[in-house]
């Protein structure tokens, strides 16, 4: 292993080896330099070395060497200059692609000869022997040997680059670009095996990314940019899988895309979801999952109708027709009847899985077999108004198969409509993710549905029918196909029928009296009898009264239902808000907990890392000191072999260093003395040598001067002679050319005149163009000025209208304020008059009460016995009892009392009289 002081030296050495044809040695030299621990830090020369290194790897098809070198270079420049690694990888892929294209261009019919099943498989001895003994032509064999190795190397290049970039957050775009180029490679050359391996590689990379979240420089999928790159890569993978018709791999890619979309709560772009549902449509159609195919069409239709503003009415009509046809193409019965519990559980899990892929959220703990069904989808289409957009022929077909009852001629009515379907399909506009809608692909499924509807309707009318008659009713199928469909329908309890080939008849119905059909017939009969009885009875009320009562009942029910709907919607909204709030709080708590755990883990890892670094530094220092002491001891022992010292005795490092420094000082002093002695000797020798050389140098100078003079004179004579000969030759050439002087002038004048005319013509054209351009600019300037004038006038007009409207609004406001003030004044005046009337009434009532009180006080009755006064005359003058005045106290003036609380005049007049009589009786008693 060669060592170099500088990286540039290794590059020069590699170029020298390449110039002599030793590319393997040059590659090995660069590989040793790159993998050396000495050059782990990034330097600018390392980039040039890597460019040369990958060129050698490509020339020699050494994929393993390229991978090792790129891994080491990634370690060197990951934290310093990651763009250098990107440039090297791009150069590596460019060289590999270019060499593969060159090999393909050199070989004729490369697509025909490039038929290796597996690019990673090695040739077996049997294959080699078969290739030599077979009748394969020499050209085809040479083409295979030329093209296939380069494509194998290109495939290995893609794998190497993806492996290097899989956990690098700074080169995510390069990772996505490499994956896209690998997809295009598989698509261009129909490499299905390599495409499966590529998908598995990307899937493993994503799984490891989610599994090991504590890796350094790993991509963060919570960032929108990173997630968008991964989604774009998976969508490209989905497109290539569908074009290669690898449907299983396409479905796994769909699951990968759904898993990536579920990582974030933000919904992806509508364009991306449109491609997603378009590919789901194709996958479900190939897998003959008509129910999920219909739901995928329904989701794509809603998405395009909501977000795609460039969709034409024709495209919308074709897509709505496809939605309806895919829905009614689903079999009108499920396969639950007679199924085992294990099969039902599998079907339940499958429904939940497909619902998640289609964007429906189902609870896996519930029985969701009816959530995705034909009837539910049809009801959604009717409620959302999809039938208003479909083609008339498709709508007629739907009405015949789903709503109408024609047991004898249903198939004959459906057949012309089915014949029109191929003509109705057409290509969609560029704004649609589906390039073309082919309605004829629904014809087989619709024919099966028509057959089942005929059997179902006939079974409700007839008990027995001949096989020939039944075959004639279904013209597009033979009875063998009808029999297969009937057996499958009878197996899952859609129709009840038996075929008797001996008698050539078909028996419909069941002998069970409790069957559903008999129950329905009896129910229908009872309803129709009740309706007939109601029609026969004489109405007791007039039709107008009954109609008004019905209208009132309907109105009440409608209001009640609307109120109930509002309450239900409000409860749903409250419940959803509570659920969202709970989920938000739970998510916040989970994030806080996760963040605290991550912080604790990061602090722990940081402490452990710092502790390990400190221990490693201490250990390295101790080891370095011990190695230095040993090295100094060994050097000193080797230098002082003939001088007995006490170095063999165990001493410390400081003592050894002092002794070594003392010995080195003595050696330097001895060396200085030797150098001084040697310098003096060399000085004496040089002085003696120069004294002897002086006369010899003088003589040599004089001889050289004479030789130079003679050489100058000879050269001067030679130059004069050559000039004379050249002058004579030039004179002869001039005489020869003077004969063509007139011809030259004629040609020159002709060319000048022609060019002058061309120049004048071009100048005229230029002037005309300039004049035209000036005219156009003048017109454009006038047009802009007019438009500006019109704009200013329009703005002024609008400003005037706004000012007039504002003035009118202010006048209306002032008028409304004046009217309000007048109304308030009238109300205040009425209130004042009311208060005055009430005060006058109260004053009048008070005066009447005072008059009555005075009269009662004047009345004093006496009782005489024998002419003597009563024994207690002073008690006759006592006033009325205390409660009477309190009940007759007049209200305070100015205080309003309601009339209901005041005593009427009759009561006010009776109250004093009662008080008077009570006072009289008490005094008398």
């Amino acid at each position: 292993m060669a060592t170099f002081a500088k990286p540039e030296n290794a590059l020069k050495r590699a170029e020298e080896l390449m110039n002599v044809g030793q590319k393997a040695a040059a590659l090995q030299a660069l590989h040793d330099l790159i993998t050396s621990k000495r050059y782990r830090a990034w330097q600018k020369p390392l980039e040039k070395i890597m460019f040369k290194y990958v060129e050698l790897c490509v020339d020699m098809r050494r994929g393993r060497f390229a991978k090792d070198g790129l891994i080491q270079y990634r370690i060197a420049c990951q934290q310093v200059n990651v763009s250098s690694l990107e440039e090297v990888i791009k150069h590596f892929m460019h060289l590999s692609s270019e060499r593969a294209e060159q090999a393909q261009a050199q070989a004729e019919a490369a697509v025909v000869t490039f038929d290796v099943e597996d690019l990673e498989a090695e040739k077996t001895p049997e294959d080699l022997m078969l290739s030599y003994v077979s009748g394969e032509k020499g050209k085809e064999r040479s083409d295979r040997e030329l093209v296939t190795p380069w494509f194998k190397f290109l495939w290995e290049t893609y794998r190497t680059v993806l492996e290097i970039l899989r956990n690098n957050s700074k080169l995510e775009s390069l990772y996505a670009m490499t994956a896209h180029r690998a997809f295009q490679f598989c698509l261009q050359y129909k490499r299905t095996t390599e495409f499966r391996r590529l998908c598995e590689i990307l899937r493993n990379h994503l799984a490891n990314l989610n599994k090991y979240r504590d890796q350094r420089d790993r991509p963060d999928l919570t960032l929108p940019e990173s997630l968008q790159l991964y989604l774009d890569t998976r969508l490209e993978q989905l497109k290539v899988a569908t074009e290669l018709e690898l449907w299983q791999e396409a479905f796994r890619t769909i699951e990968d895309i759904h898993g990536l979309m579920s990582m974030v709560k933000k919904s992806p772009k509508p364009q991306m979801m449109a491609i997603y549902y378009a590919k789901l449509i194709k996958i479900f159609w190939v897998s003959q999952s008509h129910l999920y195919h219909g739901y995928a069409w329904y989701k794509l239709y809603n998405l395009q109708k909501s977000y795609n503003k460039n969709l034409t009415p024709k495209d919308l009509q074709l897509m709505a027709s496809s939605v309806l046809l895919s829905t009614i193409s689903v079999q009108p019965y499920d396969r639950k009847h007679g199924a085992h519990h294990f099969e039902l559980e599998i079907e339940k899990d499958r429904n939940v899985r497909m619902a998640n892929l289609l964007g429906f959220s189902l609870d896996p703990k519930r029985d969701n077999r009816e959530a995705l069904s034909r009837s539910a989808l049809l009801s959604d289409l009717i409620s959302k108004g999809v039938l208003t957009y479909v083609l008339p022929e498709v709508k007629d077909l739907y009405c015949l198969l789903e709503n109408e009852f024609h047991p004898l001629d249903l198939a004959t009515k459906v057949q012309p409509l089915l014949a029109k379907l191929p003509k109705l399909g057409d290509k969609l506009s560029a704004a649609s993710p589906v390039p073309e809608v082919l309605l004829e692909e629904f014809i087989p499924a619709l024919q099966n549905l028509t057959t089942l509807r005929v059997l179902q309707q006939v079974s409700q009318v007839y008990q027995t029918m001949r096989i020939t008659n039944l075959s004639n009713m279904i013209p597009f199928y033979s009875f063998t196909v009808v029999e297969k469909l009937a057996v499958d329908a009878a197996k899952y309890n859609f129709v009840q029928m038996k075929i008797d080939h001996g008698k050539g008849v078909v028996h419909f119905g069941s002998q069970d009296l409790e069957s559903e059909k008999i129950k329905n017939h009896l129910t229908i009969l009872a309803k129709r009898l009740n309706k007939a009885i109601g029609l026969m009875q004489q109405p007791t009320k007039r039709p107008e009264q009954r109609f008004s009562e019905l209208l009132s009942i309907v109105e009440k029910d409608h209001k009640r239902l609307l109120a109930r709907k509002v309450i239900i919607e409000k409860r749903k909204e409250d419940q959803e808000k509570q659920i969202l709030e709970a989920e938000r709080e739970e998510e916040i708590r989970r994030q806080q907990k996760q963040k605290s755990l991550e912080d604790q883990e990061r602090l722990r890892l940081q402490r452990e890392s710092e502790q390990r670094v400190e221990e490693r530094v201490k250990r390295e220092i101790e080891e370095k000191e011990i190695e230095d002491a040993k090295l100094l001891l060994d050097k000193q022992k080797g230098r002082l072999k003939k001088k007995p010292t006490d170095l063999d005795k165990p001493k410390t490092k400081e003592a050894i260093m002092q002794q070594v420094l003392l010995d080195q000082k003595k050696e330097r002093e001895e060396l200085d003395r030797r150098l001084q002695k040697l310098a003096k000797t060399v000085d004496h020798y040089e002085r003696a040598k120069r004294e002897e050389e002086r006369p010899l140098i003088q003589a040599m100078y004089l001889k050289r001067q004479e030789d130079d003079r003679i050489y100058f004179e000879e050269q001067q004579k030679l130059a004069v002679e050559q000039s004379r000969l050249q002058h004579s030759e030039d004179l002869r050439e001039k005489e020869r050319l003077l004969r063509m002087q007139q011809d030259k002038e004629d040609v020159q004048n002709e060319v000048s005149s022609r060019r002058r005319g061309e120049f004048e013509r071009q100048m005229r054209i230029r002037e005309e163009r300039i004049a035209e351009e000036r005219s156009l600019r003048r017109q454009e300037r006038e047009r802009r000025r007019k438009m500006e004038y019109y704009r200013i006038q329009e703005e002024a007009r609008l400003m005037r209208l706004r000012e007039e409207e504002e003035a009118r609004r202010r006048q209306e406001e002032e008028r409304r304020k004046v009217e309000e003030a007048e109304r308030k004044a009238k109300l205040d005046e009425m209130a004042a008059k009311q208060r005055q009337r009430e005060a006058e009434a109260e004053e009048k009532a008070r005066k009447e009460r005072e008059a009555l009180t005075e009269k009662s006080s004047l009345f004093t009755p006496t009782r005489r016995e024998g002419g003597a006064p009563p024994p207690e005359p002073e008690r006759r003058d006592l006033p009325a009892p205390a409660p009477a005045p309190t009940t007759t106290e007049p209200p305070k003036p100015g205080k309003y009392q309601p009339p209901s609380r005041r005593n009427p005049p009759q009561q006010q007049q009776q109250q004093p009289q009662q008080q008077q009589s009570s006072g009289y009786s008490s005094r008398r008693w």
Side-chain angles (χ1 to χ4, degrees):
M1 177 178 176
T3 57
F4 301 96
K6 294 182 179 180
E8 295 88 343
N9 299 337
L11 184 59
K12 293 179 181 178
R13 178 60 179 167
E15 291 177 351
E16 292 173 357
L17 292 173
M18 290 173 62
N19 292 332
V20 297
Q22 297 182 5
K23 292 185 178 181
L27 179 62
Q28 187 63 43
L30 294 180
H31 182 265
D32 294 341
L33 176 73
I34 293 169
T35 56
S36 175
K37 295 182 179 180
R38 185 175 181 180
Y39 303 103
R40 288 294 175 87
W42 184 83
Q43 305 176 27
K44 184 62 177 176
L46 283 179
E47 186 173 355
K48 298 181 180 179
I49 292 172
M50 282 302 300
F51 279 119
K52 182 63 67 177
Y53 180 76
V54 297
E55 289 175 4
L56 286 173
C57 291
V58 172
D59 288 339
M60 302 178 67
R61 294 201 296 268
R62 297 290 183 87
R64 180 60 62 182
F65 274 76
K67 184 176 182 180
D68 295 342
L70 289 173
I71 290 174
Q72 296 297 327
Y73 192 64
R74 180 189 64 182
I75 296 172
C77 64
Q78 175 67 35
Q79 305 298 330
V80 181
N81 189 5
V82 74
S83 60
S84 177
L85 175 62
E86 183 178 0
E87 295 298 328
V88 171
I89 290 176
K90 287 182 178 179
H91 185 62
F92 179 43
M93 290 195 296
H94 173 70
L95 290 176
S96 301
S97 303
E98 186 178 4
R99 293 303 296 271
E101 291 173 359
Q102 290 177 1
Q104 185 185 11
Q106 292 174 4
E108 296 179 0
V111 178
V112 177
T113 58
F114 185 49
D115 56 356
V116 183
E117 294 184 359
D118 190 356
L119 290 178
E120 298 183 8
E122 300 292 338
K123 285 187 175 182
T124 60
E126 293 80 1
D127 296 336
L128 293 173
M129 185 178 295
L130 183 62
S131 64
Y132 284 115
V133 302
S134 63
E136 186 180 15
K137 296 181 181 180
K139 184 176 182 305
E140 294 179 357
R141 184 181 296 118
S142 63
D143 290 346
R144 183 185 300 274
E145 292 176 356
L146 179 64
V147 176
T148 304
W150 280 111
F151 277 101
K152 285 186 176 181
F153 181 75
L154 180 59
W155 168 246
E156 188 177 357
T157 299
Y158 289 139
R159 291 196 59 177
T160 300
V161 174
L162 290 174
E163 186 66 25
I164 291 172
L165 301 176
R166 62 188 179 92
N167 287 333
N168 199 323
S169 60
K170 300 178 181 179
L171 296 177
E172 291 177 340
S173 57
L174 182 59
Y175 178 84
M177 185 194 73
T178 307
H180 283 233
R181 294 181 65 175
F183 291 145
Q184 293 303 318
F185 168 78
C186 297
L187 178 62
Q188 183 178 359
Y189 302 106
K190 308 298 180 184
R191 307 306 305 169
T192 56
T193 305
E194 283 72 26
F195 181 75
R196 291 192 185 94
R197 288 179 180 170
L198 179 62
C199 296
E200 194 62 32
I201 288 171
L202 296 178
R203 201 169 288 116
N204 290 335
H205 288 177
L206 183 60
N208 293 332
L209 196 65
N210 294 326
K211 183 177 180 181
Y212 305 105
R213 296 181 179 272
D214 56 347
Q215 289 182 350
R216 187 178 181 181
D217 297 327
R218 63 177 292 274
D220 189 5
L221 293 181
T222 58
L223 298 177
E225 296 82 6
S226 302
L227 185 64
Q228 187 64 36
L229 284 175
Y230 275 85
L231 282 174
D232 293 340
T233 304
R234 292 306 188 278
L235 282 176
E236 184 67 22
Q237 176 181 336
L238 178 60
K239 293 178 183 177
V240 175
T242 53
E243 292 181 9
L244 291 176
E245 296 184 356
L246 299 176
W247 306 112
Q248 185 175 3
E249 198 61 46
F251 185 74
R252 296 181 67 185
T253 306
I254 286 287
E255 291 182 332
D256 295 341
I257 295 173
H258 181 264
L260 285 172
M261 290 190 298
S262 62
M263 289 184 180
V264 293
K265 293 185 178 180
K266 185 179 179 181
S267 59
K269 298 179 180 178
Q271 297 86 353
M272 185 180 299
M273 294 304 298
I275 298 173
Y276 174 80
Y277 286 123
K279 299 304 178 183
L280 264 181
I281 289 170
K282 198 169 184 180
I283 293 170
F284 286 140
W285 180 255
V286 172
S287 63
Q288 295 184 358
S289 300
H290 297 291
L291 178 61
Y292 305 129
H293 177 259
Y295 271 102
W297 260 117
Y298 181 52
K299 295 291 285 187
L300 179 61
Y301 169 78
N302 288 334
L303 187 69
Q304 291 296 297
K305 185 179 177 182
S306 301
Y307 294 100
N308 196 347
K309 305 303 181 183
N310 298 324
L311 204 66
T312 61
K314 182 180 178 183
D315 297 344
L316 189 64
Q317 192 177 34
L318 287 175
M319 293 182 71
S321 302
S322 300
V323 173
L324 183 59
L325 288 177
S326 62
T327 303
I328 64 177
S329 297
V330 183
Q331 289 183 347
Y333 57 87
D334 54 18
R335 298 178 179 271
K336 294 190 297 181
H337 183 75
H340 194 268
H341 176 70
F342 180 69
E343 296 177 356
L344 294 177
E345 289 297 325
I346 293 176
E347 184 67 20
K348 174 184 174 182
D349 296 339
R350 185 167 179 263
N351 282 340
V352 172
R353 185 180 176 187
M354 296 302 168
N356 292 330
L357 292 180
L358 290 168
F360 296 96
S361 58
L362 299 180
D363 189 2
K365 296 181 180 180
R366 294 186 177 182
D367 189 6
N368 297 310
R369 288 191 294 270
E370 298 296 334
L372 299 181
S373 62
R374 185 176 186 270
S375 59
L377 183 55
L378 275 175
S379 62
D380 286 345
L381 296 183
I382 295 171
S383 62
K384 295 298 177 59
V386 180
L387 298 182
T388 59
Y389 295 99
V390 301
L391 296 168
E393 293 83 356
V394 177
K395 192 170 183 180
D396 295 342
L397 190 62
Y398 164 75
C399 293
L400 283 173
L401 294 176
E402 298 297 330
N403 298 331
E404 298 181 4
F405 187 80
H406 303 285
L408 297 179
D409 55 351
L410 178 62
T412 56
K413 291 183 178 180
V414 168
Q415 191 173 8
L417 297 176
L418 294 179
K420 294 180 182 179
L421 290 182
K423 301 178 183 178
L424 299 177
D426 197 0
K427 293 183 179 180
L428 301 182
S429 62
S432 175
V434 180
E436 186 178 6
V437 172
L438 300 176
L439 300 181
E440 61 266 20
E441 65 184 5
F442 297 105
I443 292 178
L446 293 175
Q447 289 176 349
N448 293 342
L449 177 64
T450 305
T451 304
L452 293 174
R453 290 300 184 195
V454 169
L455 294 175
Q456 183 186 25
Q457 294 179 8
V458 168
S459 65
Q460 295 177 5
V461 178
Y462 296 95
Q463 291 183 351
T464 305
M465 178 177 285
R466 292 185 179 275
I467 293 177
T468 55
N469 296 337
L470 187 59
S471 299
N472 295 331
M473 292 169 58
I474 305 173
F476 41 77
Y477 278 160
S478 63
F479 187 73
T480 305
V481 180
V482 175
E483 186 177 3
K484 290 181 180 179
L485 295 174
V487 169
D488 190 69
K491 178 181 178 182
Y492 295 107
N493 200 26
F494 181 69
V495 294
Q496 297 178 359
M497 57 183 295
K498 295 178 182 179
I499 302 175
D500 191 350
H501 287 280
K503 297 180 180 179
V505 296
V506 178
H507 298 281
F508 297 102
S510 174
Q511 301 299 324
D512 189 4
L513 293 177
E514 296 297 328
S515 62
E516 292 293 331
K517 188 176 71 172
I518 295 177
K519 289 181 180 180
N520 293 336
H521 277 295
L522 293 176
T523 304
I524 294 171
L525 179 61
K527 289 181 180 179
R528 291 179 178 176
L529 289 175
N530 289 330
K531 185 176 179 181
I533 292 171
L535 292 174
M536 289 187 297
Q537 289 179 353
Q538 185 67 23
T540 57
K541 297 181 180 180
R542 288 184 299 175
E544 294 81 2
Q545 295 179 355
R546 295 180 63 188
F547 183 71
S548 60
E549 290 177 358
L550 288 175
L551 284 179
S552 62
I553 293 171
V554 168
E555 186 68 24
K556 290 180 181 178
D557 291 343
H558 182 65
K559 291 181 179 180
R560 180 176 55 81
L561 291 176
L562 287 178
R564 184 172 179 271
K565 182 179 179 182
V566 170
I567 294 172
I568 291 173
E569 291 295 332
K570 186 176 181 181
R571 289 179 180 176
K572 286 183 179 179
E573 291 178 359
D574 295 340
Q575 187 176 5
E576 290 176 357
K577 289 181 181 178
Q578 293 176 0
I579 293 173
L580 289 175
E581 187 67 26
E583 291 179 354
R584 190 180 300 109
E585 293 177 356
E586 181 67 24
E587 182 67 20
I588 292 172
R589 288 196 297 270
R590 186 186 65 79
Q591 290 179 358
Q592 292 176 354
K593 184 177 180 181
Q594 182 70 19
K595 186 177 180 181
S596 63
L597 292 175
E598 290 178 356
D599 294 339
Q600 295 176 3
E601 183 68 18
R602 186 171 61 255
L603 292 175
R604 185 183 65 80
L605 293 175
Q606 186 177 1
R607 288 196 298 270
E608 292 180 356
S609 176
E610 292 176 354
Q611 186 177 1
R612 286 195 298 269
V613 169
E614 292 177 358
E615 293 177 355
R616 181 174 57 80
V617 170
K618 290 180 181 178
R619 187 167 60 253
E620 289 179 356
I621 292 173
E622 293 175 358
E623 293 177 354
K624 186 67 176 176
E625 290 179 353
I626 294 172
E627 290 179 359
D628 293 343
K630 290 181 179 179
L631 184 61
L632 290 173
L633 185 59
D634 294 339
K635 287 182 179 180
Q636 196 66 15
K637 283 183 178 180
R639 188 181 295 111
L640 303 175
K641 287 183 179 179
K642 298 180 181 180
K643 297 179 182 180
T645 60
D646 55 351
L647 291 176
D648 293 336
K649 297 179 181 179
K651 291 185 178 181
T652 61
K653 180 187 175 184
E654 289 76 8
I656 294 173
M657 292 291 292
Q658 291 177 3
Q659 185 65 31
V660 169
L661 291 174
L662 183 61
D663 294 340
Q664 289 178 356
K665 184 177 180 181
K666 291 179 180 180
E667 289 180 2
R668 282 196 298 272
E669 292 176 354
E670 183 67 25
L671 182 61
D672 291 339
R673 286 193 298 270
R674 291 179 183 178
L675 288 175
Q676 290 177 1
K677 184 178 179 181
L678 181 61
K680 189 181 293 184
T681 303
V682 172
D683 190 15
H684 288 295
Y685 173 74
E686 187 68 22
R687 188 181 297 114
K689 186 177 69 170
R690 291 186 179 182
E691 289 177 356
E692 294 292 332
E693 288 178 349
R694 187 180 301 166
L696 297 176
I697 291 173
Q698 185 68 25
M700 185 182 296
Y701 172 72
L702 295 175
K703 185 177 180 301
R704 181 69 178 271
Q705 191 176 10
E706 184 65 22
D707 293 339
D708 290 342
R709 186 182 61 78
I710 295 170
Y711 178 75
F712 174 74
E713 291 176 354
E714 292 177 353
Q715 292 295 323
Q716 188 73 18
K717 292 178 181 179
L718 182 61
V720 170
E721 185 66 25
Q722 288 180 354
S723 298
R724 188 180 296 111
L725 293 175
Q726 183 66 32
H727 180 68
S728 61
E729 184 69 24
D730 292 342
L731 290 176
R732 287 194 299 272
E733 184 68 19
K734 180 180 179 182
E735 292 176 358
R736 188 179 68 83
L737 294 175
L738 282 175
R739 294 177 298 176
M740 296 182 289
Q741 179 70 23
Q742 186 62 33
D743 297 336
K744 189 264 293 184
E745 292 177 356
D746 295 341
V747 172
Q748 184 176 359
N749 293 332
E750 182 182 357
V751 172
S752 299
S753 62
R754 187 171 64 250
R755 290 185 178 178
R756 190 179 297 107
E758 181 67 21
F759 174 74
E760 292 175 356
R761 188 179 65 82
Q762 294 292 338
M763 286 297 295
R764 286 195 302 273
I765 294 173
R766 179 174 176 272
E767 292 296 333
E768 292 175 357
R769 188 168 62 250
I770 290 173
E772 184 179 359
E773 185 67 24
R774 286 176 178 173
S775 176
L776 292 176
R777 290 185 179 179
R778 189 181 299 109
Q779 293 176 3
E780 180 65 21
R781 189 162 55 250
E782 291 177 357
R783 187 185 63 82
R784 285 200 300 269
R785 287 176 179 174
K786 288 181 180 180
M787 293 300 294
E788 183 67 19
Y789 174 75
Y790 293 154
R791 186 182 61 80
I792 293 172
Q793 293 296 325
E794 183 66 17
E795 288 181 354
R797 187 181 66 82
L798 294 176
M799 181 63 70
R800 288 196 302 272
L801 290 176
R802 283 196 295 270
E803 290 176 356
E804 292 175 359
E805 182 66 21
E806 186 67 24
R808 187 186 61 80
R809 190 163 53 250
R810 285 197 300 269
Q811 292 176 2
E812 184 68 21
E813 185 69 23
E814 292 176 358
R815 185 183 61 79
R816 193 162 50 247
K817 289 182 179 179
V818 170
E819 292 178 355
E820 182 68 21
E822 292 177 355
R823 187 179 63 84
K824 188 175 181 181
K826 289 181 179 180
L827 292 176
D828 293 341
E829 184 179 357
M830 293 172 64
K833 290 181 179 180
Q834 181 68 20
R835 287 195 297 272
Q836 184 178 0
R837 285 194 299 269
E838 291 177 355
E840 292 175 355
E842 290 177 356
E843 182 66 22
K844 183 178 180 181
R846 185 178 63 79
K847 290 180 179 180
E848 291 178 354
R849 286 196 300 270
E850 289 178 353
L852 292 175
T853 304
E854 291 176 358
K855 289 180 181 181
S856 62
S857 61
L858 293 175
F859 179 72
T860 53
T862 57
R863 184 174 57 90
R864 298 179 178 273
E865 294 179 359
E872 296 180 354
E874 66 276 3
R875 296 184 65 180
R876 297 174 188 172
D877 299 334
L878 290 175
T886 59
T887 56
T888 59
E889 182 181 358
K892 296 180 181 179
K895 183 177 180 182
Y896 174 75
Q897 292 183 357
S900 60
R901 294 184 179 181
R902 298 197 307 267
N903 294 326
Q906 295 82 2
Q907 295 179 1
Q908 292 177 358
Q909 293 176 4
Q910 292 175 5
Q911 191 172 3
Q913 295 177 3
Q914 292 177 359
Q915 293 177 356
Q916 183 179 358
S917 61
S918 61
Y920 173 76
S921 60
S922 61
R923 287 193 296 273
R924 186 177 181 181
W925 182 81

